[in-house]
Amino acid sequence: MKRYLFLLLLSLPAMISAQTIFDRPLSDRITGYDITSILDPVRHTVTGEMTAWWVNKSDKPVNDAMLHMYLNAFSSNKSSFASDGQWSPAGDEGWGYVMIKSIVDGHANDLKNAMRFVSPDDGNIYDRTVLQITLPVPVMPGDTLKLRIVYESKLPSPIIRTGYNEDFYFIGQWFPKFGVYETAGMRQREADGWNCHQFHPHSEFYSDYSVYNVSVTMPVEFVVSSGGILIEETDNGDSTKTIKWRAEDIVDFAWTAWPGYQVAKKKWRGVDITLLTSEKGFKVADNQFTAAINALEYLDARVGPYPWPHLTVVDPPVTGSGAGGMEYTTLFTSAGGGMVPSFLKMSESVTVHEFGHAYFMGILASNEFEEPWLDEGVNSYWEQRIVDASYGDGYGCFNLPFLKLSDSDQGRTSYISNPSKQSATNDLPSWMYPHDTYDMMSYSKTAVWLHTLEGLIGTQTMDNIFREYYRRWAFRHPSGRDFIAVVNDVVKNELGDRYGENMNWYFDQVLYGNEICDYRLSGIKNHKIRSYSGIVDGDSVTFKRSDRSGDTTYLSTVSIERAGGIMLPVKVLVHFDNGDEKTEEWDGKARYKDFEYTGTRQVTWAKIDPFDEIDLDVNRINNSWTENPRFTAARRMTDKFVYLMQMMISILTI
Amino acid sequence: MWIITLVMIMLVALPLKSSFKSVFDHSMAMEKLSGGFDAGLAGDMGKSFGQLMSSASTGGLLLVMAGFLLYTFFAGGLFTRFTTAWGGLKPTAFMKASTQNFVPFLKIALLMCLIIFFYTSLIIGLPAGIMLAVSEGSIPQTGLMIIFYVIWVLGLPVWLSVADYSRRWIAATGSRLAFRALGAGFRALGKRFWLSYFTVLVILILNVMFVCGSMWFTAWSVPQKGLMIFLFFLATQLLFLVRLFMKAWRYATVSQLAAGLKV
Ligand SMILES: [Zn+2]
């Protein structure tokens, strides 16, 4: 009885607050959206009404509001998104748009004539992805702006993150959405103002933490899920159903609908994980769960807790592949489950990556438009750590007896083999990277210099940096400078001034600079020290060393060069013929450096960066030098090539 | 035959090996490859990796073409040996027969390759293409494709038997007319179809199993020490010799069948 009463008492608050997820908000909740909508699978539209609200947290009145109208990126071939040819519609049906049919503020003022499209990034007059509304009544500090909007969203096809293909729907960036009103000091900003960028082919998003109450009516045959939790599902009796979701403290709300989805569920600690996938993907559902849980456990232990009680993983079918590999915090899309051979951990690494964004974007909501490295790069670094730790003994991509590849090397290779790696610095806004370098710079290069930083300061300090980054910035909007400040504080705290006053010298080179890193072991020399002989002051001198000792002495020199512009402290492991080893440290600043040893031993080999910690080094082959190189691998590969050719000839000749 | 093939391939493989070695020079990085190829090193090899890959594939293509001619040439001697001189053929006579048969054998080989190519596109390419079109770009159902692969393998002995019967006919008659030989080949197959078919099918299946098994062994074994690599080399060469004998075995069997048929 007592026990029963206790349980009742425990569940009472839960029953009362059944409509909310968290008792206490995780974030400021500056914005919120109550949306009712109808999915029309014939016209491929989502239409309805929404109330959007925004709180003025600044200390001055605000006279305008700025909204993202993302779907208008698909409304013409001259939008900034479509004009570079990355997307074109599948026929006339394929265009997408978001249209405001009516809009009033909380004072019942009609704002329809106060709206205008602006293009703050590139001045493109054809771009209609940013809407500015001049408010007749300014929003006073602490006041809330309420907008009641009747809207129609036409989904694009083909899908690029969002859209439809046949009866598959992925609905993201689909409603008019507030930009972020930044106050002075926030992200090193000088004056208050809206941060609301256009939708570019290479840009992601930036939004405030919100509460979402979303209701969608659609034909009953659709299987659906979203980034929220299910509040209610009603059968309307007319072969439609209405679903109500609620989400809290997330920065974006997306949902998906497809009659063919198979659903699997799993629980990890307090988190209900739901997987929506195709028949093929369902067969390997466990792989997706395992990948997601690997990532949950890894980040939970090293960065901070995943606070939501729900997580939805969508592994879209082939028809919906355009929606694959995208993140919406509590919902993300993977790709290719059951479609690739099981030794390739491709689908798993996409799952790990997209889940990782729940932290780097979801919890730590940096500005993806302006500093893409801070979400994509940081997240790629963690993805590579998780994938390599979870699969293939450190070779996370694949590990066959004759061929292996680690996920971090996969990223590093795409950086070092890119001929344009010096064309830009790493701090450009996402749409400004030249010569198709956005992917390489935002993802690969950043991950490479984060691995290098980990190599310098150690994994423990690195993890503590991210723990502190989480502690200071969770559910806020950190900038790159804020991240660097955390690095400086933690490094100073744990390692003193081993790396100087702060780590700015590092970020100035790797993030704000465009030089490359390449240290080279140019050679080893062992010279016999000769006996002393010659004419000194007119007298002939001969002095045989062997008179003193039976051993020959050598002057050994290990020569190192800095071939790249980046300067990092490096370690050099020197090996002598008697088995001795010595680790040298060098600040890596001069153009060259010689290490000299005198004695009876000779240097046989030496390695710069012996534990491969400097991922930034663009050529690791020139990092070592040995008297006796071993070419056994070359011999084995030659033998295999010979046999392969023999077989090819004998097969192809009938 | 084995030694000529080996020398021919070595002519391509050894320069490849030395340019591969020169990329590493005095570096110790190749030690990272001792337990299988670490693809992460490909980026460090920079441009030379791409160059090596392209010269390996060009070299491979040239080798296959040269090998095709060489093997067609030797098939001439082999069929003569299996047809007229079971006790053995003097090397000079073998070479003479090879030379005589070369042109018609080459024609037959090329024609049969063409036929097998069309046959493959019909049995494998067409269904795969249709399925790809129907499913709008999704990967074809592997389950359904397996049926077509099986059909393909089951049909293959027909073409191989015809090729062998035709070549045997040339060896037996001394004629140099490739098209007539093909006709004779088809007739011979028609006479004792099921016997020829199943004999060649069995030999084919054994050959395929052997090739797959030996390729699997070669790909999967990663010897790391000098002596082991030498033993590995010997093993692969031994496997290749067995493969050559297995191929000659098919020629001999079909020749014997033909002798029994008196064609
Ligand atoms: Zn990402």
Side-chain angles (χ1 to χ4, degrees), chain A residues 251-262:
Chain A
V251 291
D252 199 3
F253 188 96
W255 53 286
T256 178
W258 181 49
Y261 273 131
Q262 313 249 330

PDB file of all heavy atoms in Angstrom, chain A residues 251-262:
ATOM      1  N   VAL A 251      16.228  23.526 -31.829  1.00  0.00           N
ATOM      2  CA  VAL A 251      16.338  24.700 -32.693  1.00  0.00           C
ATOM      3  C   VAL A 251      15.635  24.524 -34.041  1.00  0.00           C
ATOM      4  O   VAL A 251      15.543  25.471 -34.816  1.00  0.00           O
ATOM      5  CB  VAL A 251      17.823  25.087 -32.940  1.00  0.00           C
ATOM      6  CG1 VAL A 251      18.451  25.624 -31.669  1.00  0.00           C
ATOM      7  CG2 VAL A 251      18.610  23.906 -33.485  1.00  0.00           C
ATOM      8  N   ASP A 252      15.162  23.317 -34.329  1.00  0.00           N
ATOM      9  CA  ASP A 252      14.450  23.137 -35.599  1.00  0.00           C
ATOM     10  C   ASP A 252      13.516  21.940 -35.476  1.00  0.00           C
ATOM     11  O   ASP A 252      13.789  20.998 -34.736  1.00  0.00           O
ATOM     12  CB  ASP A 252      15.450  22.904 -36.746  1.00  0.00           C
ATOM     13  CG  ASP A 252      14.818  23.174 -38.108  1.00  0.00           C
ATOM     14  OD1 ASP A 252      13.640  23.597 -38.154  1.00  0.00           O
ATOM     15  OD2 ASP A 252      15.510  22.975 -39.128  1.00  0.00           O
ATOM     16  N   PHE A 253      12.423  22.003 -36.209  1.00  0.00           N
ATOM     17  CA  PHE A 253      11.445  20.932 -36.134  1.00  0.00           C
ATOM     18  C   PHE A 253      11.200  20.381 -37.533  1.00  0.00           C
ATOM     19  O   PHE A 253      10.822  21.102 -38.445  1.00  0.00           O
ATOM     20  CB  PHE A 253      10.125  21.442 -35.546  1.00  0.00           C
ATOM     21  CG  PHE A 253       9.137  20.345 -35.271  1.00  0.00           C
ATOM     22  CD1 PHE A 253       9.033  19.796 -33.997  1.00  0.00           C
ATOM     23  CD2 PHE A 253       8.304  19.857 -36.277  1.00  0.00           C
ATOM     24  CE1 PHE A 253       8.133  18.768 -33.734  1.00  0.00           C
ATOM     25  CE2 PHE A 253       7.394  18.829 -36.016  1.00  0.00           C
ATOM     26  CZ  PHE A 253       7.310  18.284 -34.743  1.00  0.00           C
ATOM     27  N   ALA A 254      11.446  19.072 -37.696  1.00  0.00           N
ATOM     28  CA  ALA A 254      11.217  18.425 -38.985  1.00  0.00           C
ATOM     29  C   ALA A 254      10.392  17.167 -38.763  1.00  0.00           C
ATOM     30  O   ALA A 254      10.370  16.613 -37.665  1.00  0.00           O
ATOM     31  CB  ALA A 254      12.544  18.063 -39.640  1.00  0.00           C
ATOM     32  N   TRP A 255       9.698  16.729 -39.800  1.00  0.00           N
ATOM     33  CA  TRP A 255       8.937  15.482 -39.704  1.00  0.00           C
ATOM     34  C   TRP A 255       8.932  14.773 -41.043  1.00  0.00           C
ATOM     35  O   TRP A 255       9.307  15.345 -42.063  1.00  0.00           O
ATOM     36  CB  TRP A 255       7.531  15.735 -39.177  1.00  0.00           C
ATOM     37  CG  TRP A 255       6.716  16.771 -39.903  1.00  0.00           C
ATOM     38  CD1 TRP A 255       6.887  18.129 -39.831  1.00  0.00           C
ATOM     39  CD2 TRP A 255       5.620  16.549 -40.797  1.00  0.00           C
ATOM     40  NE1 TRP A 255       5.959  18.770 -40.611  1.00  0.00           N
ATOM     41  CE2 TRP A 255       5.161  17.826 -41.214  1.00  0.00           C
ATOM     42  CE3 TRP A 255       4.973  15.416 -41.264  1.00  0.00           C
ATOM     43  CZ2 TRP A 255       4.089  17.987 -42.090  1.00  0.00           C
ATOM     44  CZ3 TRP A 255       3.890  15.575 -42.130  1.00  0.00           C
ATOM     45  CH2 TRP A 255       3.467  16.853 -42.539  1.00  0.00           C
ATOM     46  N   THR A 256       8.543  13.532 -41.007  1.00  0.00           N
ATOM     47  CA  THR A 256       8.578  12.747 -42.236  1.00  0.00           C
ATOM     48  C   THR A 256       7.350  11.853 -42.308  1.00  0.00           C
ATOM     49  O   THR A 256       6.810  11.447 -41.275  1.00  0.00           O
ATOM     50  CB  THR A 256       9.879  11.913 -42.326  1.00  0.00           C
ATOM     51  OG1 THR A 256       9.850  11.130 -43.527  1.00  0.00           O
ATOM     52  CG2 THR A 256      10.034  10.973 -41.142  1.00  0.00           C
ATOM     53  N   ALA A 257       6.900  11.575 -43.523  1.00  0.00           N
ATOM     54  CA  ALA A 257       5.711  10.741 -43.723  1.00  0.00           C
ATOM     55  C   ALA A 257       5.912   9.889 -44.972  1.00  0.00           C
ATOM     56  O   ALA A 257       6.325  10.399 -46.011  1.00  0.00           O
ATOM     57  CB  ALA A 257       4.472  11.630 -43.898  1.00  0.00           C
ATOM     58  N   TRP A 258       5.668   8.613 -44.823  1.00  0.00           N
ATOM     59  CA  TRP A 258       5.791   7.677 -45.956  1.00  0.00           C
ATOM     60  C   TRP A 258       4.999   6.424 -45.602  1.00  0.00           C
ATOM     61  O   TRP A 258       5.167   5.895 -44.495  1.00  0.00           O
ATOM     62  CB  TRP A 258       7.269   7.324 -46.184  1.00  0.00           C
ATOM     63  CG  TRP A 258       7.518   6.391 -47.339  1.00  0.00           C
ATOM     64  CD1 TRP A 258       7.032   6.491 -48.605  1.00  0.00           C
ATOM     65  CD2 TRP A 258       8.352   5.211 -47.319  1.00  0.00           C
ATOM     66  NE1 TRP A 258       7.502   5.452 -49.378  1.00  0.00           N
ATOM     67  CE2 TRP A 258       8.309   4.651 -48.618  1.00  0.00           C
ATOM     68  CE3 TRP A 258       9.113   4.577 -46.332  1.00  0.00           C
ATOM     69  CZ2 TRP A 258       9.004   3.487 -48.953  1.00  0.00           C
ATOM     70  CZ3 TRP A 258       9.808   3.421 -46.677  1.00  0.00           C
ATOM     71  CH2 TRP A 258       9.757   2.890 -47.981  1.00  0.00           C
ATOM     72  N   PRO A 259       4.139   5.950 -46.482  1.00  0.00           N
ATOM     73  CA  PRO A 259       3.343   4.763 -46.130  1.00  0.00           C
ATOM     74  C   PRO A 259       4.209   3.521 -45.924  1.00  0.00           C
ATOM     75  O   PRO A 259       3.794   2.578 -45.253  1.00  0.00           O
ATOM     76  CB  PRO A 259       2.417   4.576 -47.344  1.00  0.00           C
ATOM     77  CG  PRO A 259       2.398   5.893 -48.042  1.00  0.00           C
ATOM     78  CD  PRO A 259       3.738   6.508 -47.792  1.00  0.00           C
ATOM     79  N   GLY A 260       5.418   3.506 -46.504  1.00  0.00           N
ATOM     80  CA  GLY A 260       6.232   2.295 -46.470  1.00  0.00           C
ATOM     81  C   GLY A 260       7.127   2.123 -45.257  1.00  0.00           C
ATOM     82  O   GLY A 260       7.840   1.129 -45.160  1.00  0.00           O
ATOM     83  N   TYR A 261       7.128   3.081 -44.348  1.00  0.00           N
ATOM     84  CA  TYR A 261       8.042   2.986 -43.207  1.00  0.00           C
ATOM     85  C   TYR A 261       7.779   1.765 -42.329  1.00  0.00           C
ATOM     86  O   TYR A 261       6.639   1.439 -42.021  1.00  0.00           O
ATOM     87  CB  TYR A 261       7.906   4.219 -42.302  1.00  0.00           C
ATOM     88  CG  TYR A 261       8.765   5.395 -42.698  1.00  0.00           C
ATOM     89  CD1 TYR A 261       8.207   6.671 -42.811  1.00  0.00           C
ATOM     90  CD2 TYR A 261      10.125   5.246 -42.930  1.00  0.00           C
ATOM     91  CE1 TYR A 261       8.988   7.771 -43.153  1.00  0.00           C
ATOM     92  CE2 TYR A 261      10.911   6.343 -43.271  1.00  0.00           C
ATOM     93  CZ  TYR A 261      10.337   7.597 -43.386  1.00  0.00           C
ATOM     94  OH  TYR A 261      11.111   8.669 -43.713  1.00  0.00           O
ATOM     95  N   GLN A 262       8.861   1.104 -41.932  1.00  0.00           N
ATOM     96  CA  GLN A 262       8.797   0.090 -40.885  1.00  0.00           C
ATOM     97  C   GLN A 262       9.377   0.740 -39.632  1.00  0.00           C
ATOM     98  O   GLN A 262      10.322   1.504 -39.720  1.00  0.00           O
ATOM     99  CB  GLN A 262       9.660  -1.107 -41.260  1.00  0.00           C
ATOM    100  CG  GLN A 262       9.461  -1.591 -42.676  1.00  0.00           C
ATOM    101  CD  GLN A 262       8.786  -2.925 -42.732  1.00  0.00           C
ATOM    102  OE1 GLN A 262       8.923  -3.742 -41.826  1.00  0.00           O
ATOM    103  NE2 GLN A 262       8.033  -3.152 -43.778  1.00  0.00           N
TER     104      GLN A 262
END
